[in-house]
Amino acid sequence: MKNTSGYAAHSPESALEPFQFERRDLGADDVAIDILFCGVCHSDLHTARSEWAGIVYPVVPGHEIIGRVSATGTDVTSFHAGDMVGVGCLVDSCQTCTECADGLEQFCINGATGTYNDPERQTGKPTRGGYSERIVVRDKFVLRIPEGLDPAAAAPLLCAGITTYSPLRHWNVSVGHKVGVVGLGGLGHMAVKLAHAMGAHVVLFTTSPDKRADALRLGADEVVVSKNADEMAKHASSFHFILNTVSARHNLDEYLVLLKRDGVMTLVGAPAEPHPSPTVFALLTNRRSIAGSPIGGIAETQEMLDFCAEKGIASDIEIIPMQQINEAYERMLKGDVRYRFVIDISSLRSD
Ligand SMILES: [Zn+2]
Ligand SMILES: [Zn+2]
């Protein structure tokens, strides 16, 4: 086992601080990775502060991991020492159920293993994430980072990227479609870039008029300030698909009525307080649907990384040293980041 430095939260109220723990020995199908960068996802903060159920302390967050392979187990053939690789929200699943057989490990019937705060199949101990200098991951859950993707800016693709790419693909967004993106945060800014690259006409909905210029720069064709009822009304019954990335409680009807016949609005933000129930008439009209979508499978995550490399897409990031993680959480809560913090893990090694 390898002693590993990281940052952990020890209770819901405490700041993250330096923490030493052990990574498991390399199994036959394991890949050992020296971590270079780790994106800061809102889920990290929810977990560190126990805003979600079942948190086991100390918790080491981080599931937008980029690093280099340092060693491989005896059965690993697809990765070699020195390869640039990524690890997202999942590090394992049963590999035997129908969902795993379909490459949809996020829906594993026997429970996929999250990158942090889940029982590790190999040891039974809690998994610990990317706010750390190294990680050991089963080879099937390691992603190849294509040449040409900036490693730091690629980190958020592993969660924010796949969380928005998967529903855009599942609902077949393509050329000629009018697609709405609600919210311009970590998820929303990726959704705008990806939907634009898929050829859609992209309309960004925001409550902040000062985000208009940025949204257009990122690839939106139009920007609608959602507080402006007249602006909203102009788009009634016109969208094929809306990706709603907002995690604050809000009125879904305001967006539902913008869907054309058979249009779908998919929710990827998880509110702490439930949204008010949508009006059934808003669903009956135009045979509209509301859906939800969590992350994506491993094969689709690789497809997304290859798509991003081909299209020259990555996240807009602000790099921070590990020591600034607590300030970064406070800024993230205020929406004061454009659009994702990424931790430079080399800062941990000099701690
Ligand atoms: Zn995440
Ligand atoms: Zn499974």
Side-chain angles (χ1 to χ4, degrees):
M1 285 185 290
K2 266 214 160 126
N3 190 48
T4 301
S5 297
Y7 261 54
H10 289 263
S11 79
E13 297 78 28
S14 62
L16 272 78
E17 53 184 53
F19 174 62
Q20 299 286 322
F21 61 100
E22 285 182 332
R23 291 292 186 193
R24 69 170 186 260
D25 288 331
L26 200 64
D29 62 351
D30 279 337
V31 176
I33 300 164
D34 285 337
I35 300 176
L36 298 171
F37 297 101
C38 185
V40 180
C41 174
H42 228 99
S43 305
D44 301 352
L45 190 155
H46 288 307
T47 302
R49 299 190 176 177
S50 204
E51 292 163 1
W52 290 346
I55 309 303
V56 179
Y57 290 94
V59 59
V60 179
H63 59 200
E64 295 181 340
I65 299 167
I66 299 280
R68 278 199 191 279
V69 174
S70 60
T72 55
T74 50
D75 291 350
V76 175
T77 54
S78 40
F79 297 99
H80 302 94
D83 288 354
M84 186 72 78
V85 294
V87 179
C89 305
L90 302 177
V91 288
D92 214 340
S93 73
C94 83
Q95 298 290 305
T96 56
C97 75
T98 51
E99 302 297 337
C100 287
D102 284 345
L104 298 169
E105 298 88 353
Q106 73 272 37
F107 303 121
C108 175
I109 290 165
N110 297 306
T113 306
T115 302
Y116 53 82
N117 197 58
D118 252 354
E120 190 172 67
R121 280 183 155 76
Q122 294 79 355
T123 63
K125 294 183 191 166
T127 52
R128 304 201 191 278
Y131 294 10
S132 60
E133 58 184 336
R134 67 174 69 87
I135 191 167
V136 176
V137 179
R138 191 175 180 182
D139 59 348
K140 286 195 168 67
F141 289 78
V142 178
L143 288 311
R144 290 184 315 280
I145 302 301
E147 290 271 328
L149 271 183
D150 175 71
L157 299 178
L158 279 315
C159 177
I162 187 60
T163 298
T164 49
Y165 180 91
S166 183
L168 291 169
R169 275 285 185 247
H170 181 75
W171 279 278
N172 299 312
V173 164
S174 64
V175 177
H177 284 186
K178 184 174 174 184
V179 171
V181 174
V182 185
L184 193 65
L187 291 172
H189 98 287
M190 285 311 310
V192 167
K193 291 185 184 206
L194 291 166
H196 173 76
M198 291 172 186
H201 180 90
V202 182
V203 181
L204 185 273
F205 296 94
T206 178
T207 53
S208 322
D210 63 316
K211 285 191 173 167
R212 187 181 295 271
D214 237 13
L216 296 172
R217 175 182 65 79
L218 295 167
D221 297 283
E222 298 178 59
V223 178
V224 173
V225 176
S226 54
K227 290 176 201 157
N228 184 326
D230 291 340
E231 264 192 77
M232 293 288 277
K234 281 185 203 151
H235 292 272
S237 298
S238 68
F239 283 89
H240 292 84
F241 182 71
I242 295 175
L243 192 66
N244 189 330
T245 73
V246 173
S247 56
R249 185 178 193 271
H250 65 282
N251 181 357
L252 301 177
D253 284 344
E254 290 175 4
Y255 297 102
L256 271 183
V257 298
L258 306 185
L259 292 169
K260 63 194 296 179
R261 194 245 306 151
D262 291 328
V264 177
M265 174 161 74
T266 296
L267 311 179
V268 291
E273 298 282 317
H275 298 304
S277 175
T279 308
V280 174
F281 264 107
L283 291 165
L284 301 182
T285 306
N286 284 348
R287 198 164 53 193
R288 296 164 175 137
S289 303
I290 294 184
S293 179
I295 53 174
I298 296 302
E300 192 173 51
T301 305
Q302 188 64 59
E303 177 191 304
M304 177 273 306
L305 289 166
D306 296 343
F307 178 83
C308 287
E310 181 197 322
K311 302 284 186 182
I313 294 173
S315 187
D316 285 28
I317 60 165
E318 178 178 338
I319 296 181
I320 57 164
M322 187 75 253
Q323 294 79 1
Q324 279 177 20
I325 187 64
N326 296 300
E327 294 93 309
Y329 278 6
E330 292 311 313
R331 286 184 52 197
M332 194 160 65
L333 283 173
K334 288 187 279 190
D336 177 25
V337 53
R338 295 209 172 168
Y339 282 91
R340 203 69 149 178
F341 289 114
V342 172
I343 304 161
D344 178 354
I345 295 295
S346 69
S347 61
L348 195 51
R349 300 193 177 91
S350 60
D351 211 14

